[in-house]
Every structure is written in C-alpha cells, then in structure tokens.
Amino acid sequence: MKVLIAKVFKGWGVVLGIPVLFVAAYYYPTFPIINNLQLCAVYNFLGVPCPGCGLTRSFIALAHFEFKKSVNLHPLGIVIAGWLFYFLIRTIIENVLGRKLPTILKQGQRDFLLCFFVIMMLVQWVVKIVWLSSSGLTRGSSF
C-alpha cells in the first residue's frame, strides 16, 4: 500500500512546490512585516553576507520580470530559477505524463557542473564582499 501511494504522489511535491515558490516570491514584497526581517542567519551572526545572500530578493525580482535587478541582486538567481523550471518540466513529463526522458548529462558532467556552480557561488560572494567593503555599501545593495 505504501509503495502504491508513493508511486501515485511521486513528483507532486516538485510539481506543486516550485510554482508555489515563485507565487510566494511574487507576493512576498506585499507583506511589510516580513519585508523588514533579516532572513540570513550567517549575516545575523557574523555580520557578513553569505554566498546565498540576495537569492530571495533575486527570485522576487524574477517573479516581477525584473531581470536586470535580479542579476544585480544575485548573479546566479536566474541560473537557479532556470534549473528549477527545467526540473519542474522534466518532473511533469516523467511523473505526471508517464514518459521517460533520456539523461542529458552523464554523471561526470553533472559533477563538473555542480563544482563549477559552487565555485561561481564562492566567486560572486568574494566579489560582493570586496565590493561592499570598498564602496561602503550596506547589505541589500546591488552591484
């Protein structure tokens, strides 16, 4: 019985969760109480932005079709959103429609892209910290 339930609901978390993420990002700025909260635990504890600082605001800008602002807030926000959109479409095709799609990348290629993405996260983080410290800008400022 558990296996049957797992097969029926496989992928529905992705199919429902990713659109909810972007709908929430669209409506996020309309909640003034939430808007003033500092969500980053690293920033709250250490006083410096973490590699992911700006992603929430980048997703909010994307949800409002403000692409330049999104890239300014976090350069990899569009990349992550694109991957989430691809993952959503792939999950719909495979789990909802029941069609098997071929694997696009081999495991080694996926590992390389993951390492490249992590390096890019760290590079943009260092650039952001240097930029903020040299220009005297505060957290939440864009490049």
Side-chain angles (χ1 to χ4, degrees), residues 37-74:
L37 291 177
Q38 297 292 339
L39 299 177
C40 181
V42 173
Y43 184 79
N44 288 335
F45 186 67
L46 299 175
V48 295
C50 73
C53 274
L55 278 174
T56 302
R57 289 172 283 135
S58 178
F59 278 11
I60 291 168
L62 277 175
H64 290 271
F65 301 102
E66 298 172 345
F67 300 107
K68 185 177 179 183
K69 183 178 180 182
S70 174
V71 171
N72 285 339
L73 290 168
H74 198 290

Side-chain angles (χ1 to χ4, degrees), residues 13-31:
V14 172
V15 171
L16 297 175
I18 292 175
V20 166
L21 172 74
F22 284 99
V23 168
Y26 183 81
Y27 287 107
Y28 181 82
T30 62
F31 299 110

Side-chain angles (χ1 to χ4, degrees), residues 41-119:
V42 173
Y43 184 79
N44 288 335
F45 186 67
L46 299 175
V48 295
C50 73
C53 274
L55 278 174
T56 302
R57 289 172 283 135
S58 178
F59 278 11
I60 291 168
L62 277 175
H64 290 271
F65 301 102
E66 298 172 345
F67 300 107
K68 185 177 179 183
K69 183 178 180 182
S70 174
V71 171
N72 285 339
L73 290 168
H74 198 290
L76 297 175
I78 287 182
V79 175
I80 294 170
W83 179 82
L84 287 172
F85 183 71
Y86 163 77
F87 191 56
L88 171 66
I89 298 302
R90 185 173 180 98
T91 302
I92 289 171
I93 291 170
E94 286 188 344
N95 295 327
V96 177
L97 302 177
R99 296 186 182 155
K100 183 68 177 154
L101 295 176
T103 303
I104 295 174
L105 299 172
K106 296 177 181 162
Q107 185 62 44
Q109 294 169 322
R110 289 193 303 259
D111 293 344
F112 173 78
L113 284 177
L114 177 62
C115 290
F116 181 74
F117 180 78
V118 169
I119 289 169

